[in-house]
Amino acid sequence: ILQVSSKVKSSPTWYSASSFSSSVPTVKLFIGGKFVESKSDKWIDIHNPATNEVIGRVPQATKAEMDAAIASCKRAFPAWADTSVLSRQQVLLRYQQLIKENLKEIAKLITLEQGKTLADAEGDVFRGLQVVEHACSVTSLMMGETMPSITKDMDLYSYRLPLGVCAGIAPFNFPAMIPLWMFPMAMVCGNTFLMKPSERVPGATMLLAKLLQDSGAPDGTLNIIHGQHEAVNFICDHADIKAISFVGSNKAGEYIFERGSRHGKRVQANMGAKNHGVVMPDANKENTLNQLVGAAFGAAGQRCMALSTAVLVGEAKKWLPELVERAKNLRVNAGDQPGADLGPLITPQAKERVCNLIDSGTKEGASILLDGRKIKVKGYENGNFVGPTIISNVKPNMTCYKEEIFGPVLVVLETETLDEAIQIVNNNPYGNGTAIFTTNGATARKYAHLVDVGQVGVNVPIPVPLPMFSFTGSRSSFRGDTNFYGKQGIQFYTQLKTITSQWKEEDATLSSPAVVMPT
Ligand code: NAD
């Protein structure tokens, strides 16, 4: 992939349509510390979403290649688990530095393959970097517990130990941050890791793997395979994999959770969302409208924490025209163009799906106040662009409310009271994130207390917790019982061993066999 990125820099025509040929750059597998060309006969094209030109190809790894990757993880595990925690911490400290030094390079790859703006791509890397920084606290995070003198001469203590080989399956929308939620946390605990990045955006993961190797991670501690369903089934079924971290859609997540669990693995699955921003009439209008617009349309709405649903309470409904004006001012362009506020959607199919959901709003009686379906971006006429779209008069039974749109579309509902707003949010099956905008502390407290959503913002539109906490989406947005990163991340990637130990003075020898249950 380094070859891919240097080609991009030295020869911009490399990813023009006319250059499409069998020599289009290919993404390697990473097995046993080597970047190897796949022998697969099944390949997937990678497109630049701003132009739809083919910029590379990613293999669907063969069974033999996937077996080799697992064997490599398994071989590397005993020595890595026995490596002192201080040495593993040193690897992560160097990794932190290398990610910082290469942040812009990683961001460029993200923009090329995923489409988001460069500034947003840098944020993607930065939020992942923060997890790496937190993982460097492993020396305190991984501590067990002790209880001395539980009876005469007897002490009790526990260790947190790695599980073995763990695996990660990532989505397309955060090509750096989400893989960085996974393998650094798992590996700092002494596990080895098999990563399957999204087939649409493998570049950032490959560069991150190279940087980890340069930081001193031994060969085989991280392996990378590519592919879709076969790779996912392989991960779910393989007896040597002890835990799976998944982030992506409900369709894939529920399937992976069930199939992985059936094979006796720990599975954590972060999935889809429908995040509501409740706007009280006493809110600071200027801040609230800016935050709503930023959180609904940033990253073209392709964030699991995008604030995709506004609930305007009482007089706040009068702010709708101003909301529309602000959304109109956002600049839609290719992510690498100066001044772009939002880029394209990931694929033409994603664009079609989003447009169909907007259509469904019209058919079911909602009003389109701002319509981004017909947008044309000069110089990027073939890109998957949808402009900011606002649908009002939406009711909870409408398709555009029930489905996760995952595009730059804000649906707007109105209620008379806060209680009605809470009821709407709690009736929605998803529990990823929500926000309330108010200047009244009691209103904010009531909302935070009563709303059944795992991550709540008070005047904060995208309340993604920092990595010393955990990502705590709930209800249909999560399957499993231990969340990503923070203390819960360490718990997910470790198991406890508890030791009961007795050391008696020599003159305290047992006088007869102890045949009853010790009490
Ligand atoms: P996706 O489910 O299509 O893909 C995620 C991964 O699963 C990919 O690696 C893909 O190869 C694999 N996959 C896809 N379909 C599969 C199937 N039918 N069977 C087995 N494996 C399959 O998700 P996506 O489109 O890449 O990402 C967008 C989704 O991810 C949205 O729903 C978004 O809300 C969600 N997401 C959630 C969080 C969170 O933390 N809750 C974060 C980011 C994205």
Side-chain angles (χ1 to χ4, degrees):
I1 194 67
L2 289 177
Q3 176 203 345
V4 169
S5 59
S6 65
K7 277 201 174 183
V8 171
K9 269 183 286 166
S10 59
S11 158
T13 53
W14 166 80
Y15 51 92
S16 71
S18 57
S19 78
F20 176 62
S21 71
S22 58
S23 65
V24 66
T26 51
V27 181
K28 308 267 192 294
L29 305 164
F30 185 51
I31 300 177
K34 297 199 168 48
F35 290 90
V36 290
E37 188 74 33
S38 174
K39 297 197 165 46
S40 181
D41 54 8
K42 289 189 261 175
W43 293 77
I44 302 162
D45 289 340
I46 304 169
H47 295 89
N48 175 348
T51 60
N52 268 312
E53 289 163 342
V54 176
I55 51 170
R57 290 192 304 157
V58 64
Q60 306 209 36
T62 64
K63 172 80 171 43
E65 289 162 349
M66 295 194 285
D67 280 335
I70 281 287
S72 169
C73 284
K74 203 177 171 190
R75 251 190 331 270
F77 174 68
W80 181 240
D82 267 354
T83 300
S84 84
V85 69
L86 291 169
S87 301
R88 296 200 304 261
Q89 183 190 40
Q90 285 300 316
V91 172
L92 266 275
L93 286 165
R94 285 192 292 273
Y95 194 39
Q96 186 266 357
Q97 186 59 33
L98 285 186
I99 294 176
K100 263 188 171 168
E101 287 169 11
N102 289 277
L103 193 140
K104 286 189 187 294
E105 272 316 300
I106 305 168
K108 275 189 218 161
L109 271 174
I110 293 176
T111 297
L112 178 69
E113 293 182 346
Q114 201 273 353
K116 64 177 73 174
T117 67
L118 274 172
D120 201 32
E122 286 179 20
D124 184 333
V125 186
F126 188 77
R127 291 303 295 251
L129 175 67
Q130 289 179 324
V131 176
V132 173
E133 288 169 348
H134 183 62
C136 293
S137 322
V138 61
T139 39
S140 11
L141 290 171
M142 225 183 134
M143 277 185 183
E145 294 176 327
T146 64
M147 176 69 80
S149 303
I150 55 159
T151 185
K152 186 148 171 47
D153 304 324
M154 196 177 270
D155 308 312
L156 199 52
Y157 51 95
S158 66
Y159 296 130
R160 286 207 162 272
L161 298 173
L163 304 174
V165 181
C166 302
I169 301 167
F172 79 84
N173 67 329
F174 281 98
M177 178 184 81
I178 288 176
L180 288 172
W181 286 359
M182 299 176 178
F183 63 82
M185 293 292 290
M187 288 175 65
V188 83
C189 295
N191 300 287
T192 54
F193 207 86
L194 180 73
M195 189 72 215
K196 192 207 85 63
S198 166
E199 62 278 17
R200 298 176 196 149
V201 294
T205 301
M206 299 313 288
L207 184 46
L208 286 167
K210 177 77 179 81
L211 298 178
L212 187 65
Q213 184 175 49
D214 293 348
S215 312
D219 290 352
T221 49
L222 175 68
N223 286 275
I224 298 175
I225 58 171
H226 301 290
Q228 288 170 317
H229 302 79
E230 277 172 48
V232 165
N233 288 342
F234 174 85
I235 288 171
C236 292
D237 298 351
H238 203 290
D240 289 334
I241 294 176
K242 304 299 173 202
I244 303 174
S245 298
F246 168 85
V247 179
S249 65
N250 281 67
K251 185 171 171 224
E254 288 167 19
Y255 171 79
I256 289 165
F257 182 81
E258 278 162 32
R259 189 158 175 157
S261 304
R262 203 162 61 239
H263 285 87
K265 301 173 201 316
R266 290 185 183 183
V267 186
Q268 52 178 190
N270 268 10
M271 303 182 295
K274 196 83 182 174
N275 308 309
H276 298 68
V278 173
V279 182
M280 300 302 292
D282 62 20
N284 176 320
K285 186 172 159 189
E286 189 70 14
N287 280 345
T288 302
L289 294 179
N290 285 334
Q291 287 181 323
L292 265 183
V293 166
F297 304 119
Q302 294 178 118
R303 291 180 182 139
C304 68
M305 288 289 279
L307 209 53
S308 55
T309 308
V311 185
L312 306 180
V313 179
E315 295 293 293
K317 63 169 92 71
K318 293 192 177 145
W319 301 354
L320 252 178
E322 272 186 70
L323 188 69
V324 173
E325 282 314 306
R326 273 165 222 244
K328 265 187 201 164
N329 290 335
L330 294 178
R331 287 155 299 182
V332 182
N333 209 337
D336 61 357
Q337 292 304 300
D341 290 312
L342 56 142
L345 295 174
I346 186 72
T347 56
Q349 295 76 20
K351 175 175 171 168
E352 192 187 342
R353 191 181 158 275
V354 167
C355 289
N356 286 343
L357 282 164
I358 301 170
D359 293 346
S360 78
T362 332
K363 285 184 199 133
E364 294 174 20
S367 322
I368 315 285
L369 298 187
L370 180 63
D371 189 348
R373 283 174 289 186
K374 298 244 158 25
I375 193 164
K376 286 272 170 268
V377 177
K378 201 157 169 275
Y380 296 92
E381 286 75 11
N382 290 331
N384 312 317
F385 294 95
V386 175
T389 298
I390 297 182
I391 313 181
S392 71
N393 287 323
V394 173
K395 303 281 177 279
N397 61 352
M398 292 182 182
T399 314
C400 67
Y401 176 77
K402 289 193 285 191
E403 296 265 321
E404 179 184 33
I405 299 181
F406 223 56
V409 182
L410 179 67
V411 302
V412 183
L413 289 80
E414 291 168 14
T415 66
E416 287 311 314
T417 64
L418 175 63
D419 288 337
E420 283 171 66
I422 294 173
Q423 204 177 7
I424 287 176
V425 181
N426 289 352
N427 283 344
N428 190 288
Y430 293 109
N432 215 34
T434 185
I436 183 159
F437 300 93
T438 178
T439 48
N440 183 320
T443 303
R445 190 192 175 278
K446 177 175 173 177
Y447 186 74
H449 185 61
L450 293 180
V451 78
D452 189 7
V453 172
Q455 308 181 106
V456 184
V458 175
N459 299 317
V460 173
I462 304 186
V464 175
L466 284 173
M468 63 291 273
F469 291 83
S470 300
F471 192 103
T472 53
S474 62
R475 296 196 281 135
S476 292
S477 300
F478 180 66
R479 286 273 166 98
D481 52 17
T482 315
N483 294 115
F484 280 82
Y485 63 77
K487 287 193 191 112
Q488 296 216 9
I490 298 283
Q491 280 171 27
F492 183 76
Y493 292 124
T494 55
Q495 56 193 332
L496 284 167
K497 180 184 274 184
T498 311
I499 296 163
T500 307
S501 155
Q502 187 176 51
W503 290 100
K504 286 177 185 289
E505 299 280 351
E506 260 179 38
D507 58 357
T509 306
L510 281 179
S511 53
S512 60
V515 290
V516 296
M517 184 69 190
T519 55

